[in-house]
């Protein structure tokens, strides 16, 4: 898989979470947990015959809070080049609603620390549907989460950052929009507010998920 293919998979994941209900999996836009969205992405990966792993340990040890000994951390979803590959080439972390800065910081640290054989990394963030919030309030929430990612990124303090590309996706289930922000090098980012919000719309024809 390459970066462009992952971008399309992220867009299809957003579409399926918002527009395409599976025959047996019930997706509630007001809930949309990290695990549910990851499951949707995994189904797309399988349909397209890409190799992946779930909750895979990092190669490098990661710093822990308190006096805990540094040890590998788990990555939500990784992509492999082939079935026999021992190390992933892409890392994907899922976040939902308004996570603490620390939770975002530790995932950025994982992405920055992993060796050069990892070509890229990605956050897929979920803002579940909120029924009673006005568009202005939803807009503020979208802006705040983008700011939170940059604040978390700025707070990360590691000895060495290993160059790789990076992408930030934010799914707004209320507005049916997807934020897309792409960076060539995770080690040199000066802002995350220069991405674009894309409307999530049906494409014609819409291919049904496998098994439907």
């Amino acid at each position: 898989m390459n970066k462009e293919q992952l971008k399309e998979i992220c867009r299809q994941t957003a579409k399926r979470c918002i527009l395409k209900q599976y025959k047996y999996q019930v997706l509630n836009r007001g809930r949309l947990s990290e695990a549910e969205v990851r499951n949707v992405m995994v189904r797309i990966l399988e349909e397209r015959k890409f190799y992946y792993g779930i909750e895979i340990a990092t190669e490098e040890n990661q710093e822990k809070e308190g006096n805990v000994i540094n040890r590998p951390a788990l990555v939500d979803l990784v992509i492999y080049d082939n079935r026999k590959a021992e190390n992933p080439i892409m890392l994907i972390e899922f976040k939902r609603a308004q996570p603490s800065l620390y939770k975002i910081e530790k995932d950025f640290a994982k992405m920055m620390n992993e060796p050069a054989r990892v070509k890229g990394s990605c956050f897929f963030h979920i803002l579940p549907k909120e029924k009673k919030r006005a568009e202005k309030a939803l807009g503020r929430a979208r802006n705040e989460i983008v700011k939170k990612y940059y604040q978390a990124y700025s707070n990360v303090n590691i000895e060495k950052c290993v160059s790789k590309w990076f992408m930030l996706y934010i799914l707004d289930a209320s507005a049916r929009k997807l934020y897309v922000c792409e960076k060539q090098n995770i080690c040199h980012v000066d802002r995350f507010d220069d991405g674009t919000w894309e409307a999530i719309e049906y494409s014609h024809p819409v291919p049904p998920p496998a098994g439907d």
Side-chain angles (χ1 to χ4, degrees), residues 29-30 97-98 125-147 170-179 197:
R29 291 199 302 272
Q98 293 290 339
H125 190 99
I126 309 132
L127 294 174
K129 184 177 181 180
E130 299 189 42
K131 294 181 180 179
K132 298 183 179 180
R133 297 188 73 179
E135 177 56 34
K136 280 188 177 180
L138 293 172
R140 285 195 296 270
R142 290 194 294 266
N143 291 336
E144 286 304 313
I145 197 64
V146 173
K147 290 178 182 177
I170 302 173
L171 171 60
D172 182 347
S174 300
R176 297 190 175 196
K177 293 181 178 179
L178 181 68
Y179 188 71
W197 285 99

Side-chain angles (χ1 to χ4, degrees), residues 88-91 115-121 163-166 184:
I89 58 169
M90 298 179 194
L91 313 177
R117 66 175 62 92
V118 175
K119 304 302 181 185
S121 56
S163 175
K164 56 182 68 70
W165 53 257
F166 170 79
Q184 295 302 314

Side-chain angles (χ1 to χ4, degrees), residues 6 8 16 23 28 32 43 46 55-56 61 78 87 102 104 110 136 139 160 166 168-169 191 203 208 211:
L6 179 59
E8 177 59 21
R16 292 207 186 169
K23 187 174 182 179
N28 182 334
L32 282 182
R43 290 178 73 169
E46 290 182 348
E55 300 292 340
I56 302 299
N61 288 336
V78 304
N87 303 107
Y102 172 72
I104 302 175
K110 291 182 211 174
K136 280 188 177 180
K160 182 181 180 182
F166 170 79
L168 170 63
Y169 285 86
R191 58 190 298 189
S203 55

Side-chain angles (χ1 to χ4, degrees), residues 162-207:
V162 181
S163 175
K164 56 182 68 70
W165 53 257
F166 170 79
M167 295 188 294
L168 170 63
Y169 285 86
I170 302 173
L171 171 60
D172 182 347
S174 300
R176 297 190 175 196
K177 293 181 178 179
L178 181 68
Y179 188 71
V180 181
C181 184
E182 180 179 351
K183 300 296 178 181
Q184 295 302 314
N185 188 344
I186 196 172
C187 301
H188 302 288
V189 176
D190 58 2
R191 58 190 298 189
F192 285 132
D193 62 353
D194 55 345
T196 57
W197 285 99
E198 303 175 355
I200 300 173
E201 300 174 337
Y202 284 107
S203 55
H204 301 285
V206 178

